[in-house]
């Protein structure tokens, strides 16, 4: 039993080290895209923080979701955040599963480049939307009478850039249309829908996204329009952006070898394969796979070559 555990631990460690080496090579090529995606996340946070300064509380707008869904109340508002945290952490863990599990289809660096591009495009549209028109926030801390419904002007540019405000970004107001929580949730679900391997998890993920939508409205964090707009906007963004991005290499076909430098062993193996093809009269080019006929110690391409040789000999 101890020997078996030790053997499996050794295999797991080797797999982990091999995956680390592969991801480092991919990171060396794609770090600029990851950095740009992270910068876009900061810009989005900065914009959401900035709109809080111009937010003005007012009466909560009439909303069909507020009429149909019972209000959870402040004491149960954590339910929505708990579900979102579960979706977020589950997706992050899934993107790192190739480091441990044998059944793996994705590369962590490449999948996050894709996810960050979806997020950046969706968040850009969100910034344009909530700066166009500021609605009175329906959340409890954004209503009239709350101390943080309005923020005093920033004392310095540094205060704005460091996102300093009462209770930080957790209690923002004004950044309503459309829901940021739904952007993340839908991007994660759509990504797993395409690259995930478990059908049951895909169906369960869509169910969680729907439940998340209802909980956001029931906890009065957003109006119903914020959630509805997020559903069709994020799906369209992912659809069109995905068409512009290069397709991820499939691990099962070894296509990623084109992205990574060949090791000495791989180079030797490739050289031996090429030599084997040359010895068999095959250059390796699929267009050059023609039948060859040997006559009088000479290799001819086909019957036409035999006819020409006979004609030259006067036959």
């Amino acid at each position: 039993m101890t020997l078996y555990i030790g053997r499996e631990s050794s295999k797991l460690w080797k797999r982990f080290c091999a995956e680390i080496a592969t991801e480092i090579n991919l990171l060396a090529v794609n770090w600029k895209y990851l950095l740009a995606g992270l910068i876009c996340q900061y810009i989005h946070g900065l914009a959401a923080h900035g709109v809080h300064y111009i937010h003005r509380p007012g009466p909560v707008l009439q909303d069909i979701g507020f009429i149909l869904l019972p209000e959870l109340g402040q004491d149960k508002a954590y339910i929505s955040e708990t579900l979102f945290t579960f979706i977020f952490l589950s997706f992050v863990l899934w993107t790192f599963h190739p480091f441990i599990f044998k059944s793996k289809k994705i590369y962590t660096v490449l999948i996050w480049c894709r996810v960050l591009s979806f997020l950046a495009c969706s968040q850009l549209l969100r910034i344009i939307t909530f700066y166009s028109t500021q609605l009175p926030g329906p959340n409890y801390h954004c209503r009239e009478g709350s101390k943080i419904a309005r923020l005093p002007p920033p004392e310095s540019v540094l205060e704005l850039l460091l996102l300093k405000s009462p209770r930080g970004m957790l209690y923002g107001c004004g950044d309503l249309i459309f829901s940021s929580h739904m952007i993340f949730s839908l991007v994660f679900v759509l990504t797993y829908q395409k690259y995930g391997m478990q059908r049951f998890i895909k169906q369960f993920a869509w169910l969680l996204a729907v439940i998340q939508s209802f909980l956001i409205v029931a906890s009065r964090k957003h109006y119903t329009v914020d959630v509805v707009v997020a559903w069709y906007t994020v799906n369209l963004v992912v659809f069109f952006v995905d068409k512009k991005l290069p397709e991820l290499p499939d691990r099962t076909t070894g296509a990623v070898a084109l992205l990574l430098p060949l090791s000495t062993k791989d180079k030797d193996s490739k050289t031996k394969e090429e030599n084997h093809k040359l010895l068999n009269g095959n250059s390796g080019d699929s267009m050059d796979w023609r039948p060859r006929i040997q006559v009088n110690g000479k290799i001819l391409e086909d019957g036409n070559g035999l006819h020409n040789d006979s004609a030259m000999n006067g036959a």
Side-chain angles (χ1 to χ4, degrees):
M1 183 66 179
T2 304
L3 180 62
Y4 174 78
I5 295 176
R7 189 187 308 118
E8 291 301 316
S9 299
S10 177
K11 290 181 180 179
L12 181 61
W13 176 250
K14 290 180 180 179
R15 188 184 309 133
F16 180 79
C17 292
E19 200 67 30
I20 285 288
T22 302
E23 294 291 347
I24 288 177
N25 287 328
L26 291 173
L27 182 61
V29 177
N30 298 282
W31 67 270
K32 295 180 181 178
Y33 304 108
L34 290 175
L35 180 60
L38 294 176
I39 292 175
C40 288
Q41 295 304 301
Y42 170 74
I43 294 175
H44 173 255
L46 192 65
H49 178 61
V51 78
H52 194 169
Y53 287 101
I54 58 177
H55 171 261
R56 293 297 177 264
V60 177
L61 303 179
Q62 182 175 346
D63 188 280
I64 189 171
F66 293 176
I67 298 173
L68 298 178
L69 295 176
E71 188 172 352
L72 289 178
Q74 288 182 283
D75 57 332
K76 296 181 181 179
Y78 69 89
I79 298 177
S80 174
E81 288 298 326
T82 301
L83 179 58
F84 175 75
T85 303
F86 174 77
I87 296 174
F88 188 93
L89 293 179
S90 299
F91 181 80
V92 172
L93 291 176
W94 171 74
T95 61
F96 284 92
H97 84 275
F99 289 87
I100 299 176
F101 296 100
K102 291 182 180 179
S103 57
K104 44 198 176 184
K105 187 180 178 181
I106 64 168
Y107 290 90
T108 303
V109 169
L110 299 182
I111 203 71
W112 274 108
C113 287
R114 213 171 193 85
V115 167
L116 287 172
S117 65
F118 297 151
L119 292 175
C121 292
S122 299
Q123 289 165 343
L124 175 62
L125 295 176
R126 180 174 188 261
I127 293 172
I128 295 173
T129 306
F130 66 65
Y131 266 104
S132 299
T133 303
Q134 290 81 47
L135 303 179
N139 212 331
Y140 305 103
H141 62 270
C142 299
R143 299 177 185 178
E144 193 69 56
S146 173
K147 295 181 180 179
I148 58 175
R150 298 187 183 191
L151 289 182
E155 297 179 357
S156 64
V157 177
L158 187 61
E159 177 185 342
L160 184 63
L161 295 178
L162 295 179
L163 307 181
K164 290 184 178 181
S165 67
R167 303 188 185 184
M169 291 295 297
L170 296 177
Y171 293 87
C173 297
D175 55 327
L176 293 174
I177 301 178
F178 41 97
S179 172
S180 179
H181 283 64
M182 290 309 303
I183 289 178
F184 280 91
S185 298
L186 290 173
V187 166
F188 293 164
V189 172
L190 288 167
T191 303
Y192 188 82
Q193 176 68 32
K194 182 173 183 179
Y195 298 104
M197 302 179 66
Q198 301 295 329
R199 182 180 179 183
F200 168 75
I201 297 180
K202 294 179 182 180
Q203 296 172 344
F204 183 63
W206 282 112
L207 177 62
L208 291 182
V210 173
I211 295 175
Q212 175 75 39
S213 303
F214 287 113
L215 288 177
I216 288 176
V217 177
S219 59
R220 303 302 188 251
K221 294 181 178 179
H222 280 276
Y223 293 107
T224 304
V225 65
D226 305 340
V227 175
V228 172
V229 172
W231 267 93
Y232 61 74
T233 303
V234 176
N235 276 277
L236 288 174
V237 167
V238 172
F239 176 78
F240 286 107
V241 174
D242 188 63
K243 286 182 173 294
K244 297 296 182 180
L245 297 176
E247 189 53 70
L248 292 183
D250 189 356
R251 300 192 69 145
T252 59
T253 61
V256 78
L258 300 174
L259 303 175
L260 303 177
L262 293 175
S263 63
T264 304
K265 182 178 179 180
D266 294 333
K267 290 180 180 178
D268 293 341
S269 176
K270 187 176 180 180
T271 303
K272 290 180 181 179
E273 184 180 354
E274 291 176 350
N275 291 338
H276 180 71
K277 289 180 180 180
L278 291 174
L279 289 174
N280 288 324
N282 191 346
S283 65
D285 187 359
S286 60
M287 299 299 294
D288 198 38
W289 292 356
R290 293 170 291 183
R292 290 168 168 76
I293 303 175
Q294 184 171 355
V295 178
N296 296 330
K298 297 180 179 181
I299 297 177
L300 304 179
E301 295 294 333
D302 48 24
N304 293 333
L306 178 61
H307 176 75
N308 293 338
D309 187 63
S310 300
M312 292 179 64
N313 290 325

